[in-house]
Amino acid sequence: MSLDLPTPVTATDVETWSDEVDVVVVGFGIAGGCAALEAARAGASVILLERAAEYGGTSAMSGGHFYLGGGTAVQQATGIEDSAEEMFKYLMAVSLDPDEEKIRAFCEDSVEHFDWIEALGMEFERSFFPGKAVIQPGTEGLMYTGNEKVHPFRDLAVPAPRGHKVPVAGETGGAKMVMDLLDQRLAETDIEVRYETGAATLVVEDDAVVGLGWRRFDERGFIRAGSVVIAAGGYVGNDTMVKELTPQLGSKLFPLASTYDDGLGIRLGASVGAQLRFMEQAFITAPFYPPSKMVTGIVVNQQGKRFVAEDSYHSRTSGFVMDQPGQAAYLIVDSVHIEHPAFPLCPFIDGWETPEEMEQGLGIPQGALVATLASYNQNAERREDPELHKHPDWIEAQDTGPWGAYDLTLGRAMYAGFTMGGMRVDVDGRVQREDGSVIRGLFAAGACAVNIAQDGKGYASGTQLAEGSYFGRRAGRRAAG
């Protein structure tokens, strides 16, 4: 890959240092805020840089899911049985290239991390939303947000809901509550937060990172630090990087990110030898549910063939749509099960009196969709799906006309997404080279580092907030020495 990398500065070339601290953190989203707080609590002097005029970044824009389990207080209060071992099995199974050490730590520390988040000054509602939705309709504290009940994962680990949502209704901005509390906790320490100040380059000495160059409007300077923690987000806001690495995000998709998610943190790491992983992976989604009854329908490609179990988590379904010819697909629902979404991201195409007419109207080869629908309906009588193993809860015959179709095609449906790739790091956030060696003095966490989240097909809502905060904490503690 050809990236526009900042040029590192050698420490001997720095004439004066504006500051000298133990730890400097780049980015005040969930990962950077948690890293800074834990570093300060470990006794380190900390400067936190944020390019924007306020804290939050992409973290504050999210709905507020934290993917946590193993027997949290919410799980216990709502009668949900879960264990760190079952959570571990699930994440191992759903990951592209699972890092056993990281997943084990994340799962075994999940309850402690849940308690740490609540100790910031909030409480997840002790309630469970059992339905199929992108996010809870109200302030319910727990729901399924991944593929835990989807084949083959339900057979590899005991399913349990792990999507813990902050008690704020709505699909966006819920995590702002946690960011507000994080800011309050930082204010109780000696951390110096500098807004509208960004990192420009890393400073190196003897193959170690010993500080960074910063920029604020027309001001320039260098901070000498024992450790640098980069938590500067992904790169969905960088058109050049997207075009080269994740063209599926392109102009047909709405970026789910802050305007500062331009890959600077990733490029800073690469400039001193960090290995970049999963840079071609992205989270992409255009959910066709809620209403949940839509999940009983079938999703077919232009050949009239099913290719994904319709009860999959929405970004898993969308990931498989991206694999289809023309990145095209249709959701077919009969008159008994059709319920038009209040805010349809996948537009309604039309209705037809017969499957043959629908097939012709969608331009599907003659007989293909008719055969697919007939086979699905026949198996649905026994609540079975031998082809794709859809969960019996969502198997219902689509045999009552008229039939309607929704367009899941990229460019017609309103897809949104973000990038998944970033720097290779160990369990404590230490940035690594391709050979696995550690770049001394450099740490990374959040969307610019690769930990639990690796691709859209295996993603679960709440993974980024949970792993960003958890691994951010670990990076902060380790960076503090």
Side-chain angles (χ1 to χ4, degrees), residues 36-45 476-478 480-481:
L37 183 58
E38 289 289 70
R41 287 177 172 177
S45 55
R477 290 195 298 267
R478 188 59 183 259

Side-chain angles (χ1 to χ4, degrees), residues 43-198:
S45 55
V46 181
I47 290 177
L48 174 55
L49 306 181
E50 170 53 53
R51 275 199 286 172
E54 61 179 358
Y55 57 85
T58 299
S59 300
M61 298 166 60
S62 71
H65 276 137
F66 285 79
Y67 192 84
L68 302 165
T72 67
V74 178
Q75 288 178 321
Q76 293 185 40
T78 54
I80 301 297
E81 292 189 15
D82 192 20
S83 68
E85 184 61 28
E86 294 303 326
M87 184 180 178
F88 170 79
K89 286 186 207 176
Y90 172 73
L91 289 175
M92 287 291 290
V94 83
S95 300
L96 274 183
D97 183 16
D99 186 319
E100 184 171 348
E101 182 184 11
K102 286 182 186 174
I103 294 175
R104 177 71 70 186
F106 181 67
C107 296
E108 291 184 348
D109 294 344
S110 188
V111 172
E112 181 277 334
H113 188 54
F114 170 93
D115 294 339
W116 187 89
I117 293 169
E118 288 204 324
L120 292 174
M122 58 84 69
E123 186 174 277
F124 293 96
E125 190 175 286
R126 270 52 171 171
S127 58
F128 173 58
F129 175 71
K132 185 80 170 175
V134 175
I135 202 163
Q136 293 92 317
T139 55
E140 298 91 344
L142 185 66
M143 71 172 280
Y144 280 95
T145 59
N147 293 290
E148 296 86 358
K149 296 172 78 173
V150 175
H151 176 83
F153 311 110
R154 63 174 180 259
D155 299 321
L156 301 174
V158 178
R162 302 188 181 102
H164 293 71
K165 186 184 185 298
V166 298
V168 177
E171 295 195 3
T172 59
K176 179 70 161 53
M177 168 190 279
V178 177
M179 294 305 306
D180 289 344
L181 292 169
L182 197 53
D183 178 61
Q184 292 172 26
R185 301 292 79 78
L186 261 64
E188 296 166 356
T189 72
D190 293 329
I191 295 170
E192 183 179 355
V193 182
R194 297 181 183 174
Y195 292 105
E196 298 177 310
T197 306

Side-chain angles (χ1 to χ4, degrees), residues 46-388:
V46 181
I47 290 177
L48 174 55
L49 306 181
E50 170 53 53
R51 275 199 286 172
E54 61 179 358
Y55 57 85
T58 299
S59 300
M61 298 166 60
S62 71
H65 276 137
F66 285 79
Y67 192 84
L68 302 165
T72 67
V74 178
Q75 288 178 321
Q76 293 185 40
T78 54
I80 301 297
E81 292 189 15
D82 192 20
S83 68
E85 184 61 28
E86 294 303 326
M87 184 180 178
F88 170 79
K89 286 186 207 176
Y90 172 73
L91 289 175
M92 287 291 290
V94 83
S95 300
L96 274 183
D97 183 16
D99 186 319
E100 184 171 348
E101 182 184 11
K102 286 182 186 174
I103 294 175
R104 177 71 70 186
F106 181 67
C107 296
E108 291 184 348
D109 294 344
S110 188
V111 172
E112 181 277 334
H113 188 54
F114 170 93
D115 294 339
W116 187 89
I117 293 169
E118 288 204 324
L120 292 174
M122 58 84 69
E123 186 174 277
F124 293 96
E125 190 175 286
R126 270 52 171 171
S127 58
F128 173 58
F129 175 71
K132 185 80 170 175
V134 175
I135 202 163
Q136 293 92 317
T139 55
E140 298 91 344
L142 185 66
M143 71 172 280
Y144 280 95
T145 59
N147 293 290
E148 296 86 358
K149 296 172 78 173
V150 175
H151 176 83
F153 311 110
R154 63 174 180 259
D155 299 321
L156 301 174
V158 178
R162 302 188 181 102
H164 293 71
K165 186 184 185 298
V166 298
V168 177
E171 295 195 3
T172 59
K176 179 70 161 53
M177 168 190 279
V178 177
M179 294 305 306
D180 289 344
L181 292 169
L182 197 53
D183 178 61
Q184 292 172 26
R185 301 292 79 78
L186 261 64
E188 296 166 356
T189 72
D190 293 329
I191 295 170
E192 183 179 355
V193 182
R194 297 181 183 174
Y195 292 105
E196 298 177 310
T197 306
T201 185
L202 294 175
V203 181
V204 295
E205 185 177 64
D206 298 328
D207 290 326
V209 173
V210 296
L212 57 76
W214 57 268
R215 178 170 54 209
R216 184 178 191 275
F217 303 116
D218 293 333
E219 297 178 71
R220 302 286 188 276
F222 293 93
I223 300 173
R224 188 170 187 101
S227 301
V228 174
V229 181
I230 301 177
Y235 69 87
V236 72
N238 186 315
D239 292 341
T240 301
M241 291 178 70
V242 165
K243 185 176 181 179
E244 178 180 349
L245 300 167
T246 49
Q248 66 270 36
L249 289 170
S251 60
K252 297 179 180 178
L253 182 141
F254 178 79
L256 290 173
S258 154
T259 55
Y260 292 106
D261 273 25
D262 62 359
L264 176 60
I266 294 172
R267 289 182 285 121
L268 283 169
S271 74
V272 293
Q275 181 184 8
L276 304 184
R277 303 192 67 206
F278 303 108
M279 292 296 285
E280 76 286 358
Q281 296 295 336
F283 172 99
I284 296 175
T285 189
F288 60 76
Y289 65 82
S292 59
K293 192 176 287 189
M294 304 286 272
V295 180
T296 65
I298 63 171
V299 173
V300 300
N301 59 20
Q302 289 178 322
Q303 281 71 49
K305 304 294 185 182
R306 292 174 67 220
F307 55 87
V308 64
E310 294 82 6
D311 61 326
S312 298
Y313 173 71
H314 50 88
S315 76
R316 181 173 177 81
T317 298
S318 298
F320 279 99
V321 171
M322 296 302 109
D323 294 339
Q324 303 309 302
Q327 298 175 313
Y330 311 105
L331 171 69
I332 310 298
V333 191
D334 75 355
S335 60
V336 173
H337 299 90
I338 197 165
E339 290 184 19
H340 296 290
F343 302 101
L345 299 181
C346 301
F348 181 67
I349 300 173
D350 205 347
W352 295 270
E353 293 297 325
T354 68
E356 289 80 4
E357 292 174 353
M358 177 170 53
E359 189 176 70
Q360 184 177 6
L362 294 174
I364 291 172
Q366 185 176 0
L369 178 57
V370 172
T372 296
L373 193 58
S375 174
Y376 178 83
N377 290 338
Q378 183 177 8
N379 289 309
E381 294 176 4
R382 300 182 298 276
R383 302 297 279 261
E384 295 177 356
D385 179 18
E387 182 183 3
L388 295 170

